[in-house]
Amino acid sequence: MALNNSDVLLPCTFTTCIGFQDLQFTWTFNSTEMIYHGRIKSKSSEPFLVGRNPRVEFVGSTTGKDNNISIVLRSVEFSDAGKYTCHVKNPKERNAQHNATIILTVVHKSWGPAAGGGSLCIPGPLSSFSPAVVETDNTVTLIIVGVVGGLIGLLILFMLIKRVVLFIIKKIQDGKKECLVSSSGNDNTENGLAGSKAEEKAPSKA
């Protein structure tokens, strides 16, 4: 919420996991009118202006800890009420795009008692005007969830392959044992028959 004829801060910051280069950002009013367009060469350089509305002033900084691309709208009018969208495009992230939308409401500025004994309305510093951010970007969260899901899937696949390999090895070992038992049985049978023949021949010589 902002008071008529006052200056209002429209805050916006962005984050990136791999840094940025030749990043572009814009501010639009009601998704149609561009009121500020800036470009940032790298983290070590401040943004430079591409185009802006004369009543808009850039007050952010991107060389510090926070990537701040906030702006100030001067001498707010009732016609300025609406949606302001901060839009960021980072070529280093394969042109990933992030945005957040702020809804601004403009109210009357009154210096005396309102009709009916209302309270006195006195403008405060810029920081007292805190537009509510109603839309946030969840790209980083989705990337993290996707990576974690992929790792879990690979782990499950590895366990399945391991079980199949162990099952095949067990089957091969069981087959070798059956062959050994069968071979041993044949040898015992042949030995037994030979012994019987020898015993039968012995009495005939006597």
Side-chain angles (χ1 to χ4, degrees):
M1 182 180 293
L3 297 175
N4 183 31
N5 291 326
S6 66
D7 298 339
V8 61
L9 173 67
L10 301 176
C12 182
T13 59
F14 67 91
T15 59
T16 174
C17 299
I18 60 175
F20 61 86
Q21 189 172 4
D22 294 327
L23 180 142
Q24 296 192 41
F25 67 95
T26 59
W27 278 91
T28 57
F29 174 58
N30 287 336
S31 303
T32 56
E33 179 185 352
M34 183 181 297
I35 60 174
Y36 195 94
H37 182 193
R39 183 175 297 172
I40 312 172
K41 185 66 176 178
S42 64
K43 180 65 177 175
S44 60
S45 60
E46 290 288 356
F48 63 89
L49 174 66
V50 177
R52 71 180 178 94
N53 184 296
R55 293 169 50 224
V56 175
E57 180 181 349
F58 181 79
V59 294
S61 175
T62 55
T63 57
K65 181 179 179 181
D66 296 327
N67 296 316
N68 187 346
I69 52 174
S70 302
I71 60 174
V72 168
L73 182 60
R74 303 294 184 186
S75 302
V76 174
E77 302 173 355
F78 293 108
S79 59
D80 293 325
K83 294 191 302 182
Y84 291 83
T85 302
C86 170
H87 185 87
V88 178
K89 182 178 181 181
N90 186 8
K92 199 169 183 179
E93 293 180 341
R94 296 184 179 180
N95 288 323
Q97 301 185 27
H98 314 278
N99 61 77
T101 298
I102 296 172
I103 295 179
L104 177 65
T105 304
V106 181
V107 297
H108 284 282
K109 179 167 59 176
S110 175
W111 294 97
S119 60
L120 186 67
C121 181
I122 301 177
L126 288 177
S127 59
S128 65
F129 305 135
S130 302
V133 178
V134 297
E135 184 178 326
T136 56
D137 184 81
N138 296 320
T139 303
V140 176
T141 302
L142 293 175
I143 291 174
I144 294 174
V145 172
V147 171
V148 172
L151 291 175
I152 293 175
L154 288 175
L155 180 60
I156 294 174
L157 180 62
F158 174 76
M159 293 177 66
L160 289 174
I161 293 174
K162 181 180 178 181
R163 293 192 64 177
V164 171
V165 171
L166 291 175
F167 177 78
I168 294 173
I169 293 175
K170 186 175 182 300
K171 284 293 184 181
I172 293 174
Q173 290 177 346
D174 291 343
K176 289 181 178 181
K177 289 181 180 179
E178 291 178 0
C179 291
L180 291 173
V181 170
S182 176
S183 175
S184 176
N186 292 334
D187 293 342
N188 291 335
T189 303
E190 291 175 0
N191 292 336
L193 290 174
S196 298
K197 292 178 180 179
E199 291 176 358
E200 289 175 0
K201 290 180 180 179
S204 63
K205 288 181 179 182

